[in-house]
Structures are given as structure tokens and as C-alpha cells.
Amino acid sequence: MAETVALAFGAWLHPSLLLILGTLAIPFLRGRVQQGYRLLLALVFLWVVWTIAPGTYGSLRFLGLDLVAGRVDTLSLVFAYVFSLITVIGTIYSLHVKDNVQHVAAFLYAAAAVGVVLAGDLVTLYVFWELMMLASVWLIWRRRTPQSYAAGMRYLLVHSASGMLLLGGIALFYFQTGSLAFEQIDIAGPAFYLILIGFMINAAVPPLHAWLSDAYPEATVTGAIFLSALTTKTAVYVLIRGFPGTELLIWMGAVMALWGVVYAVLANDIRRLLAYHIISQVGYMVAGVGMGTAIALNGSAAHAFTHILYKALLFMGAGAVIHMTGKSKLTELGGLYKYMPYTFLLYMIGAFSISAFPLFSGFVSKTMVLEAAAVDYRMWIWLMLSMASAGTFLHTGLKLPYFTFLGKDSGRRPQEAPWNMLLAMAIAAFFCVFIGVYPAWLYGLLPAPVDYNAYTLDHLFWELQLLLFTGLGFFVLLKHVGGEARISLDTDWLYRRALPATARRVRDRGGAAWQGLLTLARRGIAGFVTGLARHHGPGSLLAGTWPTGSMVLWVAIILAGSLLIYYV
């Protein structure tokens, strides 16, 4: 067996294995040496991923199962490319952080994400899927607050459920088909739905989404960059691979897109607002998967690529504000553009990208999904996604920057963010503009040939019109769109409030009932003992009547009963 594995991997080193092994040295390094090593490791990881040739690698037979650790094609590569790129950007952004646990967790998380998109079988996918969960939760816990610990525990429970569903689905799939190959899952029965639900949880599809808006705002400033980029997008990849054309996903994606922007209206925490817009933007990708056409699947992959970069840029801008001010509420911020002008400028590039402004990356990917809905004659889906696009600009492009950087001066006088944070933001901003100006570069990476032009008069006119009227509405209603100092519970109300309250009520009522039962039992036992003492004690009637004591009486009674039973 060992010889088989060695032959299978002899000519190829899995990028995830490279990053995992390289991570082992991080705890033993200090200072600038460690900073340089982490950056070098991330760059080598990027180079290895971008130089992989399409093909099948790491095939082996283990315990009677045919496993493929490295299936490299155009679909897996487009996700692996951007995962490795964001690993470099996130590493630069975190150079100033002195927390080995956080650095190790981030690299293991990135390695696991690439492992998922390169997995050629469901068992390998499951192993990396679980490694993602175990690594990513530390990026929440390492903020070291009571809120982050509680959010991390809830995150862990939800994703453990996802893993259990996925494992159960894989087992049923294998028993039903005799194969573990990870291709389109088109069988009928429980296996199909168990695997689909496991994937949908990680994609944050409502009502299975609240873990994201619960956990991401509580993560560390640098850890949130990796979180915003990896978990939901690996879920988009597996949905594209395993469930293209699943009609249910079209409507679930459209609901996601609107759900996120509606709850962003209620958000006061800047990272919670951005987290809800992750749900909204992933909705476009999920809807594209459900449509299943070539342009729709290309649009989902392209939007995942651009989303990782501009969403990371937005989280980096928000993280820089939190790092320099210690505040994260819209109601506590304002007027920061004077003191953090570069952060403000770079954030706005991300805001223009997510809002699908022409010449920015979101425009060339989001309009592709909208076009897929239009050419497929899905009018209501197109309308719902367009409405969500307006909401995105309203909150991420206008509300958050206005009340954070502009608006009423909060009296805070922070310094500009550290150079490494600004450099990481600048790299992400460059790609947001580069892809928007030259979309052919991104289109050339997509899994199917692209016959689409984002810069037609129809697309430009519609998008500019949408943005113009959204901006006008924002300033007309400016007094009513600001943040409010409150937390709005989502479906997580069920496990944050309802279930604990129910458990406490059951415990309290059950405790009272149990005490009643114990009281009755004690009284019954006491009465029984008292009766025995009254009839069989030294001064009892029986003891006084028969000098030989009650034992002879009971022996006689038992003997008579036995004879009666025997003869009857």
C-alpha cells in the first residue's frame, strides 16, 4: 500500500500538502524572520498553484476505495487560483500580527480550501471539508472575547452538522452507485439531498445561513479576510461541480440575494453589514448554478473570483478601521476620511466593485449572471437579482462609507492603517480595477469558452440607471438609513434565544416535577417502613402473639401459597 501511494505522488506535490508542511515551521520562528517566511511560503503556494497543469494526480487505492487527491481542470483551477492569490494578500495584511495560532490556522484553512477544489473523490473532499472547519474556527476564537468564543462554538456546531450530513450522503451515495468519484450527482434519493444540504449550509443558503452573519463579525481583524474568501466559495465550487441545473437552487439563490440586502438595512456593525452582503452576493452564484447553462455557470465562477477579491478588500477596509479605532459600529464612527484617506479610497474601490460599477470587476461578473437569467427567460429571477444589486450599492457602497468615513464627525482621530494593511488592500484594489478594465483575462480562466460582452449599451445603460436612482434615493432618505444601536436577530434566533429558553423552561419544570416525584417516593418508603415496624417490630402485635416471631408466620404463609400454586 505504501508503495502504491509513493508511486501515485512521486511526480507531483499537492499544493495543500506543501502549505500544510510549510506551516509546521511557523511556531518556531520569530520577528522579521517569521514574517519573511510566511510571505515566502504564501508566494511559493501561489506559484505552485498557478503552474499546475490540467490532469489527474495522486490516484491511489486505499481500503478498497479509489481515491483521487488531485483532479485538475479548468473549473477547479479558477477557484484554486483565487484561493492562492487571497492567501498572499491575507498574509501581507496580517504581517504585523503576533499570533502563531492565527497564522497556522489561516494557512491550514487555505490549504484545506484548495484541497476541496482539487479533490477528485468525495472522501478526499470530506477530509479537507472537515479540516476547513477545524482550522477556520480558530480565526474566530483568537479574538479572545466572550462574544467570539460563543460565536465560534455556534459556528463549530453548525459546520459539524454540515459535515455529518455530507458524510451520511457520501456513504449512501457509495452504497447506491459503488463509486466515490466527485462528478455531477444526478441520482435520486436521500444521498442527493443529504449532500446538497451539506453543501448549502456552507454556502449560507437561507434558512441555513445565520452562522455567517453571527460568526464573521466576531472574528479577528485579519482572520475575517480568510473567512470572507474561502468557506462560501468552496461551497459554490462544489455546487457547480455536483449540482448544476438543480432548479431549486435558482430560487434559493434569488432569495439569498434579497435576504442579505434586507438584513443589511438593520445592521449597525460594519462587518455584520458586509457579512450579510456575502450572503447576498453568493446568492447570484447559487442562482447561476441552478440555471445550469454555460453562461450561468461561467457567471457563477467569475463572480466567485471577483467576489473574493472585492469582499476581501471591503473586509480589509473595515478591519483597518477597527484596528485603528477599536470601534465597529456605524453609530460610533464618522469623519474618518480626514485621518485614514488611503483606507477610505481603497475601500471605495471595493465598494464600486461590489456595486457593479462599470470599469470595476463586479460589473463584468454580476452582469453575466443577470444575462444568463435574461436569455433563459427567467423574468422574476432577473428582477430579484437586479433589486438585490440596487440594495448592495445602497448599503455597501453608500451607507457604510458615508457613516464610517464621511457624515458627522465622531471626534475620533486615528492614524492611517499600517503599511502592510494598505499594501494588501492596494493589491486587491488593483485586481478589482484590472479585471473591470480587461475582463478578457478573467474570462480566459473560466471553465467554458466565453461568448459574452459586458460592455454593451444595454448593460451600461441599465446598470448606470440603477446606480443613479439608488444613489438619489439614499440621499433623499439619508435621515432614515443610518445605523441603529441594536442587534437584529435572524434565523439564528432559534438557537440563540428560542432553544436555550426552551431548555431552561424544561429544566425548571422538569426539576419541579422531579422534586415532586422524589417527595412522593420518600413518603411512600417512609410509610412502608413505618408499617413494617408497626406490624413486625419488637412491640408489635405479631411479635407479642407468637414468641417465635414473625419469621415463622411468613414461612407458613409462603409455604401455603407455594402448595396452592402447585396443585392448582
Side-chain angles (χ1 to χ4, degrees):
M1 180 62 65
E3 183 179 355
T4 304
V5 174
L7 290 174
F9 283 91
W12 182 68
L13 177 62
H14 198 297
S16 298
L17 183 61
L18 168 69
L19 192 57
I20 291 170
L21 293 176
T23 300
L24 298 178
I26 290 176
F28 302 100
L29 303 175
R30 297 289 184 273
R32 295 188 180 276
V33 173
Q34 189 198 77
Q35 292 176 332
Y37 176 78
R38 287 194 286 119
L39 181 56
L40 178 62
L41 181 60
L43 289 170
V44 171
F45 179 60
L46 175 71
W47 177 79
V48 170
V49 169
W50 280 76
T51 55
I52 298 177
T56 300
Y57 305 92
S59 300
L60 61 126
R61 187 167 181 81
F62 181 71
L63 298 178
L65 304 176
D66 293 319
L67 307 180
V68 180
R71 185 259 314 280
V72 182
D73 58 17
T74 52
L75 176 58
S76 58
L77 280 176
V78 68
F79 284 87
Y81 287 159
V82 72
F83 288 168
S84 62
L85 178 59
I86 204 63
T87 301
V88 173
I89 293 173
T91 300
I92 295 172
Y93 189 78
S94 64
L95 283 177
H96 65 285
V97 175
K98 298 178 181 179
D99 184 353
N100 289 336
V101 173
Q102 200 175 152
H103 300 320
V104 170
F107 277 148
L108 291 178
Y109 185 23
V114 171
V116 168
V117 301
L118 294 183
D121 67 90
L122 290 168
V123 170
T124 302
L125 182 148
Y126 174 77
V127 171
F128 283 116
W129 193 266
E130 293 298 278
L131 179 58
M132 282 178 55
M133 174 191 69
L134 295 174
S136 59
V137 70
W138 288 98
L139 300 178
I140 303 168
W141 281 338
R142 293 305 287 180
R143 197 178 183 190
R144 304 177 189 179
T145 65
Q147 294 81 6
S148 67
Y149 176 75
M153 289 299 297
R154 292 189 292 267
Y155 176 94
L156 192 64
L157 290 172
V158 171
H159 286 277
S160 296
S162 168
M164 291 173 63
L165 291 169
L166 179 58
L167 182 60
I170 291 171
L172 291 176
F173 179 83
Y174 180 71
F175 291 140
Q176 188 172 348
T177 66
S179 172
L180 288 170
F182 182 35
E183 302 294 346
Q184 182 172 351
I185 298 173
D186 54 3
I187 61 172
F192 177 92
Y193 291 103
L194 286 174
I195 296 174
L196 177 61
I197 294 172
F199 290 164
M200 287 170 62
I201 290 175
N202 274 30
V205 177
L208 310 172
H209 67 288
W211 61 266
L212 193 155
S213 55
D214 176 27
Y216 285 16
E218 304 301 337
T220 65
V221 166
T222 54
I225 312 309
F226 292 91
L227 288 168
S228 71
L230 299 178
T231 295
T232 52
K233 263 58 75 183
T234 54
V236 170
Y237 164 79
V238 294
L239 287 173
I240 295 175
R241 175 74 70 183
F243 296 92
T246 302
E247 190 79 12
L248 172 67
L249 294 177
I250 302 175
W251 290 99
M252 297 303 292
V255 169
M256 283 181 74
L258 286 174
W259 193 296
V261 297
V262 168
Y263 268 90
V265 175
L266 307 173
N268 186 35
D269 186 284
I270 56 178
R271 291 199 298 179
R272 191 175 304 279
L273 187 154
L274 294 175
Y276 272 116
H277 277 292
I278 292 178
I279 297 170
S280 178
Q281 295 296 297
V282 173
Y284 288 84
M285 307 168 208
V286 171
V289 174
M291 286 182 256
T293 60
I295 185 174
L297 295 177
N298 272 338
S300 294
H303 204 48
F305 194 104
T306 61
H307 177 268
I308 287 173
L309 293 168
Y310 63 62
K311 183 57 71 172
L313 177 54
L314 294 170
F315 265 90
M316 285 189 283
V321 169
I322 296 171
H323 181 69
M324 301 309 297
T325 67
K327 303 296 180 181
S328 63
K329 311 295 186 192
L330 292 174
T331 49
E332 300 172 333
L333 298 168
L336 299 184
Y337 80 97
K338 300 176 184 178
Y339 311 100
M340 303 180 71
Y342 297 120
T343 299
F344 172 56
L345 175 63
L346 293 168
Y347 173 90
M348 289 309 301
I349 292 176
F352 290 147
S353 297
I354 194 175
S355 303
F357 267 77
L359 302 181
F360 293 88
S361 59
F363 176 77
V364 303
S365 59
K366 185 182 292 185
T367 56
M368 188 181 293
V369 179
L370 288 169
E371 181 73 6
V375 299
D376 211 20
Y377 301 103
R378 299 182 183 274
M379 179 187 69
W380 288 107
I381 300 299
W382 180 89
L383 182 60
M384 293 170 71
L385 296 179
S386 296
M387 292 170 60
S389 183
T392 298
F393 179 47
L394 179 66
H395 302 298
T396 307
L398 293 171
K399 174 183 173 179
L400 192 153
Y402 182 86
F403 290 101
T404 301
F405 296 100
L406 304 171
K408 183 179 179 180
D409 194 328
S410 62
R412 306 188 188 283
R413 303 292 183 265
Q415 296 181 344
E416 184 57 274
W419 68 269
N420 61 295
M421 284 185 163
L422 295 176
L423 176 59
M425 294 175 68
I427 295 172
F430 165 77
F431 280 100
C432 288
V433 175
F434 173 69
I435 293 172
V437 173
Y438 185 58
W441 179 79
L442 173 60
Y443 292 167
L445 302 177
L446 297 179
V450 176
D451 183 17
Y452 172 74
N453 179 18
Y455 290 102
T456 64
L457 289 178
D458 290 343
H459 295 148
L460 289 169
F461 177 76
W462 170 251
E463 198 63 36
L464 290 174
Q465 179 180 242
L466 191 69
L467 295 169
L468 176 63
F469 282 99
T470 301
L472 179 63
F474 173 79
F475 287 104
V476 169
L477 302 173
L478 185 59
K479 294 181 180 181
H480 306 284
V481 296
E484 296 184 20
R486 66 182 184 184
I487 296 176
S488 301
L489 289 178
D490 198 345
T491 55
D492 57 342
W493 175 85
L494 292 172
Y495 56 82
R496 296 183 68 173
R497 294 286 179 87
L499 290 180
T502 302
R504 287 192 296 269
R505 192 174 297 112
V506 170
R507 180 197 63 194
D508 294 341
R509 293 183 178 179
W514 178 249
Q515 290 298 324
L517 290 174
L518 288 178
T519 301
L520 290 174
R522 283 196 295 267
R523 290 176 179 174
I525 293 172
F528 179 73
V529 172
T530 301
L532 288 177
R534 184 170 61 252
H535 291 286
H536 304 285
S540 67
L541 178 64
L542 292 177
T545 305
W546 285 276
T548 55
S550 61
M551 182 180 294
V552 175
L553 172 65
W554 286 110
V555 169
I557 292 173
I558 294 172
L559 179 60
S562 300
L563 292 172
L564 181 63
I565 293 172
Y566 176 77
Y567 285 106
V568 172

